[in-house]
Amino acid sequence: MPNSLNPFELIARRWQPSARFVERAALATVVMAVVIVVTGGAVRLTQSGLGCDTWPKCTSGSLTPTSDMGIHGAIEFGNRMLTYVLCAVIGLVIIAARARTPVRRPLTRLGWAQFWIVMGNAVVGGITVLTGLNPYIVSSHFLLSSALLTVAVLTWWRAREGDAEPRELVAGPVRQLTRLLIAATGALIVIGTVVTGAGPHAGDARKVHRIPLNWQEITQLHVDFVYIVLGLTVALWFTLRAVKAPAAQRRTVLELLVVLLAQGVIGYVQYFTHLPEVVVGIHMLGSCLVWIAVLRVLLAQRERAGLPATVPAPTGDHEAVQPEPAASSR
């Protein structure tokens, strides 16, 4: 039979992952997306950005770093190898979602979206090396990593929901305020990449082109947006309290507020201590946690129930299988 040639069908006949397994696999992609950002920052902060001086090989004559390249080559190559680990975790999500009965096609599509973002970012990473750490390419490399984190969080959240149409849990004005908060946080992250591109941590000990802006003035703009995001977060919390929104929604806003305050403290510490590498690395981790927290605020404002329709089992018979109730996302 033609279907027997489909590897996903073959896997589904032999393995039925639980909803909990799919959810945990999706969460693993979120963790790996954060790891990629942090280790990418470690490459820059240890001046290992050109540890491998070409791409896709590490040197013109070797796929892997040679002994004379030292620690910088090992760090850069190690970060490249983590891409394969990330792809393996994403592949697990795609296979698990496809093997489920009923098939979670929204999850498989989100999984494939993650895969293609990783592939695109790998190419951008190669261009980063080939252009000698051009700061604009480096910034786009980070922003693509943020896009990956966005899709990973959405995949994880969707794994905890059903596949019915979403039902809004808040009024339109509250939703609009939340979207404004998302936009302001996104602008905050973009401005942060400009600070990085103009700042002193170029990624290599050799002279590297920088964005021709005063990084301290851009940092002040970055701080201004921090206060805007904080103000919007507080305003959203009071709004949710005024409309008597569920405690779960208010809790996500409070969690965002805590992460923002911690990130603000770290930002001031790194500025007044003249940007020590370790603190800058922690700040990069904090930026990921802020983005995850703000996405959770948005996603908590709607819910999806499980689809009531029956779905044929993958074993080839006509027995119908009722979809398993989705885990609560709150």
PDB file of all heavy atoms in Angstrom, residues 178-203:
ATOM      1  N   THR A 178      -2.351  44.704  25.384  1.00  0.00           N
ATOM      2  CA  THR A 178      -1.369  43.628  25.400  1.00  0.00           C
ATOM      3  C   THR A 178      -0.522  43.642  24.137  1.00  0.00           C
ATOM      4  O   THR A 178       0.699  43.452  24.188  1.00  0.00           O
ATOM      5  CB  THR A 178      -2.072  42.268  25.546  1.00  0.00           C
ATOM      6  OG1 THR A 178      -2.882  42.279  26.716  1.00  0.00           O
ATOM      7  CG2 THR A 178      -1.048  41.138  25.651  1.00  0.00           C
ATOM      8  N   ARG A 179      -1.163  43.868  23.002  1.00  0.00           N
ATOM      9  CA  ARG A 179      -0.413  43.929  21.744  1.00  0.00           C
ATOM     10  C   ARG A 179       0.545  45.111  21.726  1.00  0.00           C
ATOM     11  O   ARG A 179       1.648  45.020  21.176  1.00  0.00           O
ATOM     12  CB  ARG A 179      -1.393  43.993  20.577  1.00  0.00           C
ATOM     13  CG  ARG A 179      -2.101  42.669  20.326  1.00  0.00           C
ATOM     14  CD  ARG A 179      -3.221  42.797  19.324  1.00  0.00           C
ATOM     15  NE  ARG A 179      -3.867  41.503  19.082  1.00  0.00           N
ATOM     16  CZ  ARG A 179      -5.041  41.350  18.501  1.00  0.00           C
ATOM     17  NH1 ARG A 179      -5.724  42.430  18.105  1.00  0.00           N
ATOM     18  NH2 ARG A 179      -5.561  40.145  18.314  1.00  0.00           N
ATOM     19  N   LEU A 180       0.130  46.228  22.332  1.00  0.00           N
ATOM     20  CA  LEU A 180       1.033  47.371  22.446  1.00  0.00           C
ATOM     21  C   LEU A 180       2.239  47.000  23.303  1.00  0.00           C
ATOM     22  O   LEU A 180       3.380  47.388  22.998  1.00  0.00           O
ATOM     23  CB  LEU A 180       0.286  48.556  23.050  1.00  0.00           C
ATOM     24  CG  LEU A 180       1.084  49.861  23.213  1.00  0.00           C
ATOM     25  CD1 LEU A 180       1.604  50.355  21.874  1.00  0.00           C
ATOM     26  CD2 LEU A 180       0.216  50.931  23.875  1.00  0.00           C
ATOM     27  N   LEU A 181       2.002  46.248  24.366  1.00  0.00           N
ATOM     28  CA  LEU A 181       3.090  45.773  25.215  1.00  0.00           C
ATOM     29  C   LEU A 181       4.035  44.866  24.420  1.00  0.00           C
ATOM     30  O   LEU A 181       5.266  44.983  24.538  1.00  0.00           O
ATOM     31  CB  LEU A 181       2.511  45.019  26.416  1.00  0.00           C
ATOM     32  CG  LEU A 181       3.509  44.281  27.318  1.00  0.00           C
ATOM     33  CD1 LEU A 181       4.494  45.255  27.944  1.00  0.00           C
ATOM     34  CD2 LEU A 181       2.763  43.487  28.401  1.00  0.00           C
ATOM     35  N   ILE A 182       3.482  43.980  23.599  1.00  0.00           N
ATOM     36  CA  ILE A 182       4.303  43.100  22.770  1.00  0.00           C
ATOM     37  C   ILE A 182       5.165  43.924  21.814  1.00  0.00           C
ATOM     38  O   ILE A 182       6.366  43.683  21.656  1.00  0.00           O
ATOM     39  CB  ILE A 182       3.411  42.138  21.957  1.00  0.00           C
ATOM     40  CG1 ILE A 182       2.663  41.172  22.884  1.00  0.00           C
ATOM     41  CG2 ILE A 182       4.229  41.370  20.934  1.00  0.00           C
ATOM     42  CD1 ILE A 182       3.500  40.088  23.466  1.00  0.00           C
ATOM     43  N   ALA A 183       4.543  44.921  21.166  1.00  0.00           N
ATOM     44  CA  ALA A 183       5.272  45.752  20.210  1.00  0.00           C
ATOM     45  C   ALA A 183       6.398  46.524  20.889  1.00  0.00           C
ATOM     46  O   ALA A 183       7.517  46.621  20.359  1.00  0.00           O
ATOM     47  CB  ALA A 183       4.312  46.721  19.519  1.00  0.00           C
ATOM     48  N   ALA A 184       6.114  47.074  22.071  1.00  0.00           N
ATOM     49  CA  ALA A 184       7.139  47.833  22.792  1.00  0.00           C
ATOM     50  C   ALA A 184       8.285  46.928  23.226  1.00  0.00           C
ATOM     51  O   ALA A 184       9.465  47.321  23.166  1.00  0.00           O
ATOM     52  CB  ALA A 184       6.512  48.516  24.012  1.00  0.00           C
ATOM     53  N   THR A 185       7.976  45.716  23.648  1.00  0.00           N
ATOM     54  CA  THR A 185       9.021  44.770  24.048  1.00  0.00           C
ATOM     55  C   THR A 185       9.855  44.355  22.841  1.00  0.00           C
ATOM     56  O   THR A 185      11.085  44.221  22.930  1.00  0.00           O
ATOM     57  CB  THR A 185       8.397  43.534  24.710  1.00  0.00           C
ATOM     58  OG1 THR A 185       7.529  43.942  25.763  1.00  0.00           O
ATOM     59  CG2 THR A 185       9.481  42.630  25.284  1.00  0.00           C
ATOM     60  N   GLY A 186       9.180  44.153  21.699  1.00  0.00           N
ATOM     61  CA  GLY A 186       9.922  43.837  20.486  1.00  0.00           C
ATOM     62  C   GLY A 186      10.868  44.962  20.102  1.00  0.00           C
ATOM     63  O   GLY A 186      12.025  44.719  19.720  1.00  0.00           O
ATOM     64  N   ALA A 187      10.397  46.217  20.207  1.00  0.00           N
ATOM     65  CA  ALA A 187      11.258  47.368  19.915  1.00  0.00           C
ATOM     66  C   ALA A 187      12.430  47.424  20.893  1.00  0.00           C
ATOM     67  O   ALA A 187      13.567  47.751  20.513  1.00  0.00           O
ATOM     68  CB  ALA A 187      10.447  48.655  19.982  1.00  0.00           C
ATOM     69  N   LEU A 188      12.169  47.104  22.152  1.00  0.00           N
ATOM     70  CA  LEU A 188      13.219  47.072  23.170  1.00  0.00           C
ATOM     71  C   LEU A 188      14.323  46.092  22.779  1.00  0.00           C
ATOM     72  O   LEU A 188      15.525  46.398  22.891  1.00  0.00           O
ATOM     73  CB  LEU A 188      12.605  46.684  24.518  1.00  0.00           C
ATOM     74  CG  LEU A 188      13.559  46.466  25.691  1.00  0.00           C
ATOM     75  CD1 LEU A 188      14.225  47.770  26.078  1.00  0.00           C
ATOM     76  CD2 LEU A 188      12.805  45.872  26.885  1.00  0.00           C
ATOM     77  N   ILE A 189      13.930  44.918  22.292  1.00  0.00           N
ATOM     78  CA  ILE A 189      14.910  43.902  21.906  1.00  0.00           C
ATOM     79  C   ILE A 189      15.689  44.341  20.672  1.00  0.00           C
ATOM     80  O   ILE A 189      16.919  44.176  20.598  1.00  0.00           O
ATOM     81  CB  ILE A 189      14.204  42.562  21.663  1.00  0.00           C
ATOM     82  CG1 ILE A 189      13.656  42.023  22.988  1.00  0.00           C
ATOM     83  CG2 ILE A 189      15.146  41.539  21.025  1.00  0.00           C
ATOM     84  CD1 ILE A 189      12.804  40.784  22.850  1.00  0.00           C
ATOM     85  N   VAL A 190      14.999  44.940  19.705  1.00  0.00           N
ATOM     86  CA  VAL A 190      15.682  45.409  18.494  1.00  0.00           C
ATOM     87  C   VAL A 190      16.701  46.489  18.838  1.00  0.00           C
ATOM     88  O   VAL A 190      17.842  46.471  18.343  1.00  0.00           O
ATOM     89  CB  VAL A 190      14.658  45.939  17.471  1.00  0.00           C
ATOM     90  CG1 VAL A 190      15.364  46.630  16.310  1.00  0.00           C
ATOM     91  CG2 VAL A 190      13.789  44.799  16.946  1.00  0.00           C
ATOM     92  N   ILE A 191      16.319  47.433  19.693  1.00  0.00           N
ATOM     93  CA  ILE A 191      17.255  48.482  20.103  1.00  0.00           C
ATOM     94  C   ILE A 191      18.440  47.867  20.850  1.00  0.00           C
ATOM     95  O   ILE A 191      19.582  48.310  20.708  1.00  0.00           O
ATOM     96  CB  ILE A 191      16.544  49.530  20.970  1.00  0.00           C
ATOM     97  CG1 ILE A 191      15.481  50.256  20.141  1.00  0.00           C
ATOM     98  CG2 ILE A 191      17.535  50.545  21.535  1.00  0.00           C
ATOM     99  CD1 ILE A 191      14.562  51.127  20.965  1.00  0.00           C
ATOM    100  N   GLY A 192      18.180  46.808  21.609  1.00  0.00           N
ATOM    101  CA  GLY A 192      19.270  46.113  22.294  1.00  0.00           C
ATOM    102  C   GLY A 192      20.293  45.553  21.322  1.00  0.00           C
ATOM    103  O   GLY A 192      21.500  45.569  21.592  1.00  0.00           O
ATOM    104  N   THR A 193      19.832  45.067  20.167  1.00  0.00           N
ATOM    105  CA  THR A 193      20.780  44.552  19.166  1.00  0.00           C
ATOM    106  C   THR A 193      21.614  45.690  18.571  1.00  0.00           C
ATOM    107  O   THR A 193      22.780  45.480  18.221  1.00  0.00           O
ATOM    108  CB  THR A 193      20.045  43.807  18.032  1.00  0.00           C
ATOM    109  OG1 THR A 193      19.241  44.723  17.284  1.00  0.00           O
ATOM    110  CG2 THR A 193      19.176  42.702  18.586  1.00  0.00           C
ATOM    111  N   VAL A 194      21.015  46.884  18.470  1.00  0.00           N
ATOM    112  CA  VAL A 194      21.782  48.033  17.978  1.00  0.00           C
ATOM    113  C   VAL A 194      22.860  48.419  18.996  1.00  0.00           C
ATOM    114  O   VAL A 194      23.995  48.747  18.628  1.00  0.00           O
ATOM    115  CB  VAL A 194      20.850  49.230  17.693  1.00  0.00           C
ATOM    116  CG1 VAL A 194      21.653  50.449  17.243  1.00  0.00           C
ATOM    117  CG2 VAL A 194      19.820  48.856  16.638  1.00  0.00           C
ATOM    118  N   VAL A 195      22.507  48.374  20.281  1.00  0.00           N
ATOM    119  CA  VAL A 195      23.500  48.634  21.332  1.00  0.00           C
ATOM    120  C   VAL A 195      24.656  47.650  21.203  1.00  0.00           C
ATOM    121  O   VAL A 195      25.834  48.025  21.283  1.00  0.00           O
ATOM    122  CB  VAL A 195      22.860  48.526  22.728  1.00  0.00           C
ATOM    123  CG1 VAL A 195      23.928  48.641  23.816  1.00  0.00           C
ATOM    124  CG2 VAL A 195      21.795  49.601  22.919  1.00  0.00           C
ATOM    125  N   THR A 196      24.315  46.393  20.964  1.00  0.00           N
ATOM    126  CA  THR A 196      25.352  45.373  20.808  1.00  0.00           C
ATOM    127  C   THR A 196      26.226  45.660  19.589  1.00  0.00           C
ATOM    128  O   THR A 196      27.455  45.544  19.651  1.00  0.00           O
ATOM    129  CB  THR A 196      24.697  43.981  20.646  1.00  0.00           C
ATOM    130  OG1 THR A 196      23.963  43.673  21.821  1.00  0.00           O
ATOM    131  CG2 THR A 196      25.752  42.913  20.417  1.00  0.00           C
ATOM    132  N   GLY A 197      25.595  46.038  18.479  1.00  0.00           N
ATOM    133  CA  GLY A 197      26.352  46.296  17.262  1.00  0.00           C
ATOM    134  C   GLY A 197      27.241  47.515  17.340  1.00  0.00           C
ATOM    135  O   GLY A 197      28.226  47.621  16.603  1.00  0.00           O
ATOM    136  N   ALA A 198      26.900  48.460  18.219  1.00  0.00           N
ATOM    137  CA  ALA A 198      27.711  49.668  18.364  1.00  0.00           C
ATOM    138  C   ALA A 198      28.649  49.597  19.565  1.00  0.00           C
ATOM    139  O   ALA A 198      29.577  50.410  19.669  1.00  0.00           O
ATOM    140  CB  ALA A 198      26.791  50.886  18.511  1.00  0.00           C
ATOM    141  N   GLY A 199      28.416  48.652  20.463  1.00  0.00           N
ATOM    142  CA  GLY A 199      29.155  48.577  21.718  1.00  0.00           C
ATOM    143  C   GLY A 199      30.549  47.988  21.590  1.00  0.00           C
ATOM    144  O   GLY A 199      30.996  47.629  20.494  1.00  0.00           O
ATOM    145  N   PRO A 200      31.224  47.842  22.720  1.00  0.00           N
ATOM    146  CA  PRO A 200      32.630  47.425  22.715  1.00  0.00           C
ATOM    147  C   PRO A 200      32.862  45.935  22.468  1.00  0.00           C
ATOM    148  O   PRO A 200      33.974  45.542  22.105  1.00  0.00           O
ATOM    149  CB  PRO A 200      33.111  47.819  24.116  1.00  0.00           C
ATOM    150  CG  PRO A 200      31.873  47.775  24.960  1.00  0.00           C
ATOM    151  CD  PRO A 200      30.754  48.206  24.067  1.00  0.00           C
ATOM    152  N   HIS A 201      31.859  45.075  22.667  1.00  0.00           N
ATOM    153  CA  HIS A 201      32.059  43.642  22.488  1.00  0.00           C
ATOM    154  C   HIS A 201      31.805  43.276  21.024  1.00  0.00           C
ATOM    155  O   HIS A 201      30.699  42.933  20.626  1.00  0.00           O
ATOM    156  CB  HIS A 201      31.141  42.845  23.415  1.00  0.00           C
ATOM    157  CG  HIS A 201      31.472  43.011  24.861  1.00  0.00           C
ATOM    158  ND1 HIS A 201      32.665  42.599  25.407  1.00  0.00           N
ATOM    159  CD2 HIS A 201      30.761  43.564  25.891  1.00  0.00           C
ATOM    160  CE1 HIS A 201      32.689  42.875  26.696  1.00  0.00           C
ATOM    161  NE2 HIS A 201      31.540  43.467  27.012  1.00  0.00           N
ATOM    162  N   ALA A 202      32.874  43.350  20.226  1.00  0.00           N
ATOM    163  CA  ALA A 202      32.735  43.167  18.781  1.00  0.00           C
ATOM    164  C   ALA A 202      32.680  41.707  18.369  1.00  0.00           C
ATOM    165  O   ALA A 202      32.220  41.388  17.284  1.00  0.00           O
ATOM    166  CB  ALA A 202      33.888  43.864  18.060  1.00  0.00           C
ATOM    167  N   GLY A 203      33.193  40.821  19.210  1.00  0.00           N
ATOM    168  CA  GLY A 203      33.168  39.398  18.877  1.00  0.00           C
ATOM    169  C   GLY A 203      34.499  38.838  18.458  1.00  0.00           C
ATOM    170  O   GLY A 203      34.654  37.625  18.306  1.00  0.00           O
TER     171      GLY A 203
END
